[in-house]
Amino acid sequence: MTSPAILVLTTGGTIDKNYFDELSEYQIVDSGIAGLLTEARVALPIRVVELMRKDSLELTDADRALIAGAAREAPEQRIVVTHGTDTMTETAKVLAAEVPGKTICLTGALSPARFAETDAPFNLGMAFAAAQLAAPGVWIAMSGQVFDGLKVRKDRAAGKFVPL
Amino acid sequence: MTSPAILVLTTGGTIDKNYFDELSEYQIVDSGIAGLLTEARVALPIRVVELMRKDSLELTDADRALIAGAAREAPEQRIVVTHGTDTMTETAKVLAAEVPGKTICLTGALSPARFAETDAPFNLGMAFAAAQLAAPGVWIAMSGQVFDGLKVRKDRAAGKFVPL
Amino acid sequence: MTSPAILVLTTGGTIDKNYFDELSEYQIVDSGIAGLLTEARVALPIRVVELMRKDSLELTDADRALIAGAAREAPEQRIVVTHGTDTMTETAKVLAAEVPGKTICLTGALSPARFAETDAPFNLGMAFAAAQLAAPGVWIAMSGQVFDGLKVRKDRAAGKFVPL
Amino acid sequence: MTSPAILVLTTGGTIDKNYFDELSEYQIVDSGIAGLLTEARVALPIRVVELMRKDSLELTDADRALIAGAAREAPEQRIVVTHGTDTMTETAKVLAAEVPGKTICLTGALSPARFAETDAPFNLGMAFAAAQLAAPGVWIAMSGQVFDGLKVRKDRAAGKFVPL
């Protein structure tokens, strides 16, 4: 197996949230994803592109078109997208329709990467492996599992992703 | 995709190392792997079995036979093995010879999971995804990559795993 | 020097903030102060009382009277109060007026204790030392410094406490 | 209270220990103390000098003379010394004899600062407050307490410092 090149597209979401102070709401800041990959000692050729810094509830159709365009036009065949969890499945549908022939894995976090306790690095690791191993298509890596991106939903009450 | 059950066998290694004080050497302690899986909010059915607590340089043929036996006899088809990095590839060979028909992914860490900066949760995430997605056989997830377990070596000088 | 008993009163503030998900604002949760003291291996006799869980901008005169009452009625002579930073100096004035003869040190954090990078444990350490060493009166430990609690203000633009 | 300038002398010890891999012992590396002070958002004028990187069991009389000389010759009146815990009290005696008229607080950690769970930042916070508040003399800040540096010992079995 040769080392595949992986493109990482960051879009914001809880995984990249930070906290400032009592007068301001917490905000999505400069992405910490590249730092997570350094900490994980990733030695593959990777490229990290920060597309936007949005809560996934604020993502518009235009934002999703931009994500799909970036994935489609990229030279890489294997793509990881970091994304807020609340509308991750909606973006998965757009990517499945708009980006044929590539392996794309979306992931995010229920607890921000800047927290001492967080699911961010584990989830990012799942997404990296899925981008390398899975068949072309759109996948979602959350809650310890790699799901078909079109057959999964977030169960907000239970705090986890579950199969449709 | 139904939720696959995953067996996690822990054997020790850097990933589970702790530090005590200036008079004692650091030691491998009770495995922190189950804690990492909780922090990662893994919602799959999993079973964690602590087989041994050894530096991988101290693993004997008998230890490797024990690991292979535990993998072979387990009801689970998908297995993650946490392991020291220095002889991970030797154990991979034994598992490939002794445990046919299962998907086994070995992983570990170059920096202990108890450190503030560590590759442990990312690597464990890769191994979980590989155990779910990869074909039957033995795999190694390290350095951001999922390798064929029989076609990889640790480059100690460079501090990473590279393809053979 | 005999080991002094220290009372810790928690009132909320950034130091105890947590984050849930994209649909809910972050909230102050069960205090993590006791956990920080365990991690710091504090071996003094201590008593931790969670008085309230409030952002300091929401504290009322009644809340401050309650904090002062708890400090005044306590058997301990040495008291640490964890508190939001935005109105910490207002509570300091009330404590100075209402609780004579005790050494009280307020502290908090600009970054939540649950973050990987946080000033919380350092500040709590300063407050513990100040409660042991300082003369009776009200003190504020923030920004690496122990201030007279009546001669300090928060410079929000600069993100630090400075002498009046 | 004007902002006092504080000198921080680092000498090594557990607080600055790191771990490399299974073939090498863990080692004391470039001091992380300056990083801890940044994370703690210390806004005082400080100066950090790395004197040596030694396990405190390896400190010689010459090393202690060097530490005392650096403390005595420094323009700062208030000094924090980070130090291994096993012989911290021996260095305290030398400093008490050799550096009159200054406030010096020694501190260290039972768990390395690079660990996710560590007493390092809390202890460093105690030492900073003690350097600002305590009378001239030598102090030791460990186990949640600020001790007279000549009236304290490490109880290795109990894992804490206790009064003599």
Side-chain angles (χ1 to χ4, degrees), chain A:
Chain A
M1 182 184 292
T2 61
S3 297
I6 294 184
L7 171 65
V8 182
L9 300 174
T10 77
T11 69
T14 292
I15 196 170
D16 263 332
K17 278 181 180 166
N18 205 346
Y19 170 76
F20 292 102
D21 66 28
E22 295 167 40
L23 288 181
S24 55
E25 296 307 314
Y26 84 91
Q27 298 171 26
I28 298 167
V29 287
D30 54 307
S31 174
I33 301 299
L36 287 177
L37 298 175
T38 301
E39 184 176 339
R41 308 196 183 200
V42 171
L44 284 178
I46 58 170
R47 189 165 62 102
V48 181
V49 177
E50 187 177 316
L51 285 185
M52 60 200 70
R53 298 180 184 182
K54 287 198 172 180
D55 191 313
S56 77
L57 294 169
E58 298 163 3
L59 289 176
T60 63
D61 288 351
D63 291 325
R64 292 198 167 84
L66 192 152
I67 299 168
R72 192 173 50 234
E73 306 305 327
E76 291 90 350
Q77 284 297 110
R78 300 171 183 286
I79 300 171
V80 169
V81 180
T82 63
H83 196 286
T85 58
D86 280 312
T87 69
M88 191 182 279
T89 57
E90 293 181 41
T91 301
K93 282 175 201 148
V94 173
L95 290 169
E98 302 285 337
V99 193
K102 295 197 175 188
T103 301
I104 302 176
C105 187
L106 293 121
T107 195
L110 297 176
S111 175
R114 282 171 179 79
F115 270 54
E117 301 216 344
T118 171
D119 50 334
F122 184 96
N123 291 348
L124 198 59
M126 285 200 295
F128 256 67
Q132 292 169 58
L133 294 170
V138 178
W139 308 84
I140 283 180
M142 288 294 298
S143 305
Q145 191 167 354
V146 183
F147 299 94
D148 181 327
L150 303 179
K151 296 179 182 165
V152 59
R153 68 180 177 87
K154 180 178 177 183
D155 181 338
R156 291 197 76 247
K160 64 180 179 179
F161 280 67
V162 294
L164 274 188

Side-chain angles (χ1 to χ4, degrees), chain B residues 125-138:
Chain B
M126 285 200 295
F128 256 68
Q132 293 169 56
L133 294 170
V138 178

Side-chain angles (χ1 to χ4, degrees), chain C residues 14-15 81-85 88 106-110 119-120 123-124 141-142:
Chain C
T14 293
I15 196 168
V81 180
T82 63
H83 196 286
T85 58
M88 191 181 280
L106 293 123
T107 195
L110 297 175
D119 49 335
N123 291 348
L124 199 58
M142 288 294 298

Side-chain angles (χ1 to χ4, degrees), chain B:
Chain B
M1 181 184 292
T2 60
S3 297
I6 293 184
L7 171 65
V8 182
L9 300 174
T10 77
T11 70
T14 292
I15 196 169
D16 263 332
K17 278 182 179 166
N18 205 345
Y19 171 76
F20 292 101
D21 67 30
E22 297 167 40
L23 287 181
S24 55
E25 296 307 313
Y26 85 92
Q27 296 173 27
I28 298 167
V29 286
D30 53 306
S31 175
I33 302 298
L36 286 177
L37 297 175
T38 301
E39 183 177 340
R41 308 195 183 203
V42 171
L44 285 178
I46 58 171
R47 188 165 63 100
V48 181
V49 176
E50 186 178 316
L51 285 184
M52 59 201 71
R53 298 179 185 182
K54 285 199 174 181
D55 191 311
S56 76
L57 294 169
E58 297 163 4
L59 290 176
T60 63
D61 289 351
D63 292 324
R64 292 198 166 83
L66 192 152
I67 299 169
R72 192 174 50 234
E73 306 306 327
E76 293 89 349
Q77 285 297 112
R78 300 172 183 284
I79 301 170
V80 169
V81 180
T82 63
H83 197 286
T85 58
D86 279 313
T87 69
M88 191 182 279
T89 56
E90 293 181 40
T91 301
K93 281 175 203 149
V94 173
L95 290 170
E98 301 285 337
V99 193
K102 296 197 175 187
T103 300
I104 303 175
C105 187
L106 294 122
T107 194
L110 297 176
S111 176
R114 283 171 178 79
F115 270 54
E117 301 215 344
T118 171
D119 50 334
F122 184 97
N123 290 348
L124 199 58
M126 285 200 295
F128 256 68
Q132 293 169 56
L133 294 170
V138 178
W139 308 84
I140 283 180
M142 288 294 298
S143 306
Q145 190 167 354
V146 183
F147 299 92
D148 181 326
L150 302 179
K151 296 179 181 166
V152 59
R153 68 180 177 87
K154 180 179 178 183
D155 181 337
R156 292 196 76 247
K160 63 180 180 180
F161 281 67
V162 294
L164 273 189

